[in-house]
Structure formats: structure tokens, C-alpha cells
Amino acid sequence: MDRYAVFGFPVSHSLSPKIHSQFALETKQALTYEAIEATPGAFHSALETFAAAGGRGANVTVPHKAAAAELAQRCSPAVTLAGAANTLCWADGGWEAHNTDGVGLVHDLKVLGWSLCGRRLALVGAGGAAAGVIAPLLAEGPEQLVILNRTEARAQELCDRFKNVPGAHKLAAGGLHTTLAFDGVINATAASLSGERPSLPPSLWTPGAFAYDMMYGPTATPFLQWAESCGIGARADGFGMLVEQAAEAFTLWRGVRPSTKGVRRSLRPVAPTPNDNTP
Ligand code: ATR
């Protein structure tokens, strides 16, 4: 049977094995999917062992996304730009790297019914997680996409790196103490991992704005708790993005697209608010 796995450190909390097992059942694909914990130093050899034992594809999560992009024999244009990969496909004796995070995020925002076209968006954070979603967000035609980061110079570096992608004239950089207001704010920082949130001003939101945290967990993230305290009604964590990026990866591996409806319903830890448009 073909083997698939998610690599991370830590990885025991990952929902990916459950998601892909449901996808496999639904699409009648014969495969196994496991979680493999590998320290940063052991990641490369763990992948080699996995391929030798029949590994045909892998998801890659924190902290291995940049390493996955570096060690792959071939990279998609999205991976080359972002410098980060979340999906690996075994092909022709080597790993091919893809990044399905951005497409997953945009799919989830569509399921939630939160439009991006013509809206003023902020993307908070300037690491690999942010870099992976910039091009797909720009492709949706926002009025503006401002990258806000604690270290403002990193936000500017990202803008410079993406200056040739379609819609790049909509990109701008700023710090967390911005005076601008946005119709949608997407948290792509790693702050939740340490129980924190980016220190942003309450003036950040326009009336009716949405708050999205690319992280997810069993309870609302600190960023979403703060958004609620600012009176923001439309809030969602990154669970839907996780499911949608997984569906993209599954399609790359197996050539068949699973429906995400069942998984979204059965595995979701925290419901989006207030309009749950999840089918
Ligand atoms: P990843 O690949 O997951 O994006 P990363 O490259 O280490 O990880 O980037 C982490 C991001 O989270 C950065 O934008 C970081 O801000 P700095 O560039 O200023 O370091 C941001 N971040 C992490 N903890 C944060 C916190 N407590 N408040 C605000 N931003 C935070």
C-alpha cells in the first residue's frame, strides 16, 4: 500500500492523519497516512528512510517547511517564491515540493463567504507562513494587501521578493503600530505557539471586518480572543485552511479530489462565528 505521512516537531497533535484517512475512505484510495516526529536535525534522513520504505508523499509542518523547500529536487514556482513547502510528492526518484497553503486559505475564506476582491486586507507576520499565502491572496484582487510585522524590515523584504507576481502593486509593508484600518486581518504569525498575539491597535478594524487566524487549536487563539474583545463578529481559525490545503495535497498525490464537507463537519474543533457557512 502507498504510504503518506506528515512530518513535524512536535506532530502528535496533528489532525492530518484523520483528515487524509477520511479522504482515502471517501475516494476509495488504498493508502496509509501516519504522523512522523522528526527533530530539525533528523528531518532529511527521516524523509529518506520514509521514501525507501514506500513513502509516496508527505505533508510538512512546523518547523520543517523551509528545509523541505531546500532539500527537494524540484520546486513549484510557489515554493521557490515562498521559500517554504508544505507538500512533497515522490516522483522520478526524488522529492517534488509544492505549497498548497495559500490555495487552502483562499478556499476556506470562500467557504466562509468572506470576499477578498476589492477589500483592504492585512496579513500579519512575515515568515514562511505569510510568504506561502501572498500570491494566492493577491490573485483574488484585493484593494490592498498590507504585510504588517513586528520587525518591519522583514515585511518590506517580503514585498520586495513578491514585486513581480501579478497584483504586486497592491502590496505594502508596515509595522504592528499601524494607523490603517482593514476589512479583513489574517494572522500568519507564530505568536499563538507561545500563547501570545501580535500587539495590534484596536483601530485596525473597519466595521464588518473579519478576523482569521491561520493557527488553530481546541480553543480560540489569543488573536481571535482579542478580535472578539474588539467587537469583531466574523472570526475563524485555520482549521478550514488545514482541511482545504490537505485536499489540495491529496489531489496532487492521487489525482482525485476529495470533498471537504464531511471532514469539516466531523473534525472541526472550534466553529467559526457568527455566520457558519460551512456546508
Ligand atoms: P513561520 O515560518 O511559521 O512563519 P518564522 O519564519 O519564524 O515562522 O516567522 C514567525 C513570524 O511570527 C514572524 O513574522 C514573527 O515576527 P518577527 O519577524 O518580528 O520575529 C512573528 N511573531 C512570532 N511571535 C510573535 C509575537 N509574539 N508577536 C508578534 N509577532 C510574532
Side-chain angles (χ1 to χ4, degrees), residues 105-115 210-212 235-237 240 264 268 272-273 275-279:
L105 169 64
V106 168
H107 272 184
D108 190 36
L109 291 168
K110 284 183 180 165
V111 172
L112 290 162
W114 300 346
S115 67
F210 71 78
Y212 192 98
R235 306 181 305 276
D237 71 10
R264 291 179 75 106
R268 184 176 58 203
T273 58
N275 301 314
D276 180 4
N277 294 324
T278 308

Side-chain angles (χ1 to χ4, degrees), residues 81-205:
L81 252 182
N86 74 333
T87 302
L88 295 170
C89 304
W90 183 257
D92 302 325
W95 290 110
E96 193 178 272
H98 296 263
N99 195 322
T100 65
D101 280 336
V103 177
L105 169 64
V106 168
H107 272 184
D108 190 36
L109 291 168
K110 284 183 180 165
V111 172
L112 290 162
W114 300 346
S115 67
L116 305 176
C117 187
R119 304 193 82 188
R120 296 179 49 79
L121 304 178
L123 180 65
V124 188
V133 301
I134 290 173
L137 285 174
L138 285 174
E140 295 302 306
E143 163 72 21
Q144 200 165 33
L145 178 61
V146 183
I147 301 169
L148 302 174
N149 198 45
R150 182 174 60 182
T151 313
E152 200 173 334
R154 282 188 84 192
Q156 189 56 56
E157 279 166 30
L158 264 194
C159 286
D160 295 344
R161 200 196 311 168
F162 282 79
K163 65 175 186 283
N164 293 323
V165 304
H169 59 289
K170 306 284 190 177
L171 262 185
L176 297 185
H177 299 295
T178 181
T179 54
L180 299 173
F182 298 93
D183 306 318
V185 180
I186 299 163
N187 182 23
T189 71
S192 310
L193 292 176
S194 42
E196 295 168 12
R197 63 169 177 85
S199 176
L200 293 155
S203 56
L204 191 70
W205 313 96

Side-chain angles (χ1 to χ4, degrees), residues 2-6 16 20 23 29 31-33 50 56-60 86-90 95-96 98 100 245-256:
D2 291 346
R3 286 180 68 187
Y4 296 85
V6 56
S16 292
H20 284 282
F23 286 168
Q29 298 286 304
L31 57 87
T32 65
Y33 191 107
F50 179 63
R56 289 295 162 264
N59 284 130
V60 179
N86 74 333
T87 302
L88 295 170
C89 304
W90 183 257
W95 290 110
E96 193 178 272
H98 296 263
T100 65
Q245 66 76 30
E248 290 294 313
F250 193 94
T251 307
L252 281 169
W253 294 330
R254 307 300 297 183
V256 48

